[in-house]
Amino acid sequence: MDYRAYIAARLPAEGLTEREIAEAIAVPPDPAMGDYALPCFRFAKVMRKAPALIAEELARVYPTDGVIESASAVNGYLNFRVNRRGFAEDTLSRIQREGKEYGSSDMGRGKTVCIDYSSVNIAKPFHIGHLSTTVIGAALYRIFRFLGYRTVGINHLGDYGTQFGKLISAYKHWGNREEVEKGGIHAINDLYVRFNNEATEEMEAEAREYFRLIESGDREANDLFEWFKSLTLAYVKDIYAALDVTFDSYAGERFYTDKMQPIVDELREKGLLKESQGAQIVDLEAYGMPPCLILRSDGASLYATRDLAAAVYRKATYDFDKCLYVVAYQQNLHFKQVFKVLELMGKEWAKDLVHVAYGMVSLEDGAMSTRKGKVVWLEDVMRRCIEKAREVVSVKNPDLSDKDEVARKVGLGAVVFGALCNNKIKDIVFSYDKALNFDGETSVYVQYTCARASSVLAKAGEKRGMGCEIPALNAQEFELVKALADFPDTVRAAAADYEPSLIARYAVSTAQTFNKFYIDCKILQAETEELRSFRIALTEATLTVLTSALGLLGIGVPEKM
Ligand code: ARG
């Protein structure tokens, strides 16, 4: 049962819909206040009364029953107490019934969300900067799918631009097939870096010519380009496989080569195109933005031109209800401009485009920081995390049998969690020690909690607490039940705010709540059989929910640790 909806349906308050009331109901941080609370200042305007007075009046008339046992007013809040037994029974039976599906929903049925994430640049390194877009995007993909949306994951490859001309030039001067075949993306990157450091005027001109050759369909130039592209993709696909990240489309910038002209024509027809210093632009001064560049003076298209074509193509192909762009905040202006131009073109769906901006990730470890031509490759970060995970896991449990598998889950989990456990817009500094701290607010802490729950359940054997009588709940038990009951709302909120960190924080706090319960309450040695089965059921439900929460983030859960 949805307790918020239950309360809202019985609340005789004017001015807000039941749904708005339900959404306004929160869980007070201090459980002494109540189990749920409705802030009444929301009604003050419509009801023309002070919030405190409204809360008092509502408390007087609220029809308490066997589900909600009391309603009381405190400082403009209406606080509710639930019937603990009923609440626990309800929550646990739902988790038992729904299992892995608990927290999912069909709210998205019939709706499509396109998510543009990772969107790596061909022939450039997949470095730590791409970590956030990859893991935040992939988490949003899983979250929306869990809520019943059709999701389309798009890797808008950066496979268009002068860098390929440079690369071909560098390859012709300094490279050879064998070396590049062997070194893959690293060899390609070395060539690119060398070009940027050493290229002469002549080579720059040559690079422009090679780029033109790619554009005009020259066979050799295109073969080289495709080769560089396939080497890059082979490399990133290994990373995606390790992080369990998938895409439905790899239509990159190049894909839009023949789809830009219609956009340019439409802009012209609609009188939006203006010439400025030989270039074609859309003037956005009226909106306080610099102009959006559509065509350079030599007729070449730009990043924005391709994004305009991509948005139109996605709308036509997927008929999305929302199209998300998980891209660093450095591109705020770019997306504001692109969205505005589409709006000016009369695309009413421009309002459904969302730039999901995120902050920078850097490494605490100075020795690996970015220097000119020296980038921090994501694969190195991943490898180091797995190694370190192996160490900490071995110290904690020297007899562990499948150490490699556990180290992998723990190490990669730490990489993923590190990139999405904070509010996404914050710049973050990744620290290996902090990310792999068993006692911190970390994925390994949550994974360890799961392993602890698994071990309790293994010891409990056959006697799982299904269909047990619910005893009178103590504070720790009740807090845990409340945390578990909050999972579906947390998932919905994460989708509504495009904020997977809500689920990450939820997982940590629920793990903390479980550990309080675990330490304070005897589970297998409980005083009565009834209590024992109830606590086992609670442990099992916690494991189910934490596994789902981490799963949505892309983090696996080892059975033993
Ligand atoms: N490849 C770009 C970069 O690394 C990101 C592309 C984001 N997506 C887009 N539709 N513009 O900066």
Side-chain angles (χ1 to χ4, degrees), residues 55-75:
E56 276 162 33
E57 285 182 12
L58 289 176
R60 219 170 303 130
V61 297
Y62 182 85
T64 51
D65 55 16
V67 177
I68 302 296
E69 292 186 329
S70 77
S72 58
V74 181
N75 296 332

Side-chain angles (χ1 to χ4, degrees), residues 11-56:
L11 200 72
E14 311 147 35
L16 292 183
T17 63
E18 264 180 47
R19 191 154 162 198
E20 286 169 327
I21 297 174
E23 278 171 8
I25 294 173
V27 175
D30 176 5
M33 300 299 289
D35 303 323
Y36 288 107
L38 176 68
C40 291
F41 59 85
R42 304 273 307 254
F43 302 102
K45 219 173 177 176
V46 207
M47 297 175 77
R48 298 172 166 281
K49 276 180 217 161
L53 199 63
I54 298 173
E56 276 162 33

Side-chain angles (χ1 to χ4, degrees), residues 116 119-121 130 156 158 303 307 314 325 327 331 334-335:
D116 176 327
S119 299
V120 283
N121 299 320
H130 294 109
H156 187 76
Y303 182 49
D307 257 328
R314 289 173 193 174
Y325 298 81
V327 185
Q331 295 192 28
H334 166 75
F335 285 107

Side-chain angles (χ1 to χ4, degrees), residues 64-366:
T64 51
D65 55 16
V67 177
I68 302 296
E69 292 186 329
S70 77
S72 58
V74 181
N75 296 332
Y77 282 82
L78 185 55
N79 293 335
F80 300 94
R81 287 221 172 276
V82 303
N83 175 296
R84 290 185 173 193
R85 272 196 173 140
F87 188 79
E89 160 107 65
D90 200 78
T91 306
L92 289 189
S93 61
R94 193 170 153 196
I95 298 172
Q96 285 174 353
R97 202 172 51 240
E98 299 180 13
K100 281 203 287 255
E101 300 303 317
Y102 173 68
S104 70
S105 137
D106 60 2
M107 65 186 275
R109 193 190 298 147
K111 297 202 187 113
T112 298
V113 181
C114 288
I115 311 178
D116 176 327
Y117 58 104
S118 198
S119 299
V120 283
N121 299 320
I122 297 297
K124 287 196 193 159
F126 194 121
H127 56 82
I128 180 132
H130 294 109
L131 178 60
S132 304
T133 169
T134 306
V135 301
I136 293 172
L140 290 173
Y141 184 88
R142 295 185 201 95
I143 292 166
F144 276 98
R145 202 176 43 187
F146 199 52
L147 294 177
Y149 292 82
R150 172 170 81 122
T151 45
V152 183
I154 304 173
N155 199 325
H156 187 76
L157 297 175
D159 55 3
Y160 191 105
T162 45
Q163 76 259 32
F164 300 106
K166 295 181 184 177
L167 199 55
I168 293 179
S169 169
Y171 174 71
K172 292 256 172 180
H173 285 266
W174 306 308
N176 70 65
R177 189 159 272 274
E178 220 169 279
E179 247 167 50
V180 173
E181 208 62 82
K182 206 166 113 229
I185 179 94
H186 294 276
I188 294 177
N189 185 243
D190 288 346
L191 286 172
Y192 187 66
V193 169
R194 185 158 172 201
F195 186 97
N196 285 332
N197 289 333
E198 298 177 26
T200 56
E201 274 298 311
E202 258 160 73
M203 280 179 75
E204 292 282 358
E206 186 183 276
R208 278 192 295 276
E209 176 57 15
Y210 278 126
F211 175 58
R212 201 192 58 75
L213 284 173
I214 299 178
E215 290 305 286
S216 63
D218 174 80
R219 182 69 189 273
E220 193 208 358
N222 274 283
D223 283 351
L224 282 172
F225 167 79
E226 290 298 336
W227 181 45
F228 295 142
K229 180 166 168 173
S230 67
L231 288 174
T232 312
L233 281 183
Y235 168 81
V236 294
K237 281 185 178 168
D238 282 347
I239 293 185
Y240 293 148
L243 298 176
D244 195 19
V245 171
T246 56
F247 297 92
D248 303 291
S249 160
Y250 278 89
E253 293 187 44
R254 242 188 122 60
F255 177 73
Y256 298 101
T257 305
D258 60 352
K259 297 174 182 61
M260 289 184 278
Q261 192 56 46
I263 304 291
V264 176
D265 294 343
E266 188 177 338
L267 285 168
R268 189 169 290 125
E269 267 159 41
K270 294 188 167 151
L272 292 165
L273 219 50
K274 253 174 71 175
E275 184 165 328
S276 163
Q277 298 165 7
Q280 300 292 321
I281 62 156
V282 176
D283 189 351
L284 297 174
E285 203 184 333
Y287 309 97
M289 286 184 251
C292 182
L293 236 62
I294 305 295
L295 295 176
R296 278 207 306 250
S297 52
D298 63 1
S301 63
L302 290 110
Y303 182 49
T305 326
R306 294 185 284 282
D307 257 328
L308 292 171
V312 169
Y313 174 84
R314 289 173 193 174
K315 183 65 190 176
T317 308
Y318 306 113
D319 194 22
F320 57 72
D321 294 87
K322 285 250 180 279
C323 180
L324 315 182
Y325 298 81
V326 186
V327 185
Y329 63 61
Q330 279 86 348
Q331 295 192 28
N332 275 354
L333 177 62
H334 166 75
F335 285 107
K336 268 171 77 178
Q337 290 176 311
V338 168
F339 298 171
K340 185 49 107 184
V341 171
L342 288 164
E343 184 192 317
L344 294 173
M345 288 171 83
K347 312 287 180 205
E348 53 81 29
W349 47 264
K351 63 176 187 346
D352 305 322
L353 306 172
V354 185
H355 176 203
V356 178
Y358 61 83
M360 297 257 290
V361 189
S362 54
L363 284 177
E364 175 192 63
D365 188 337

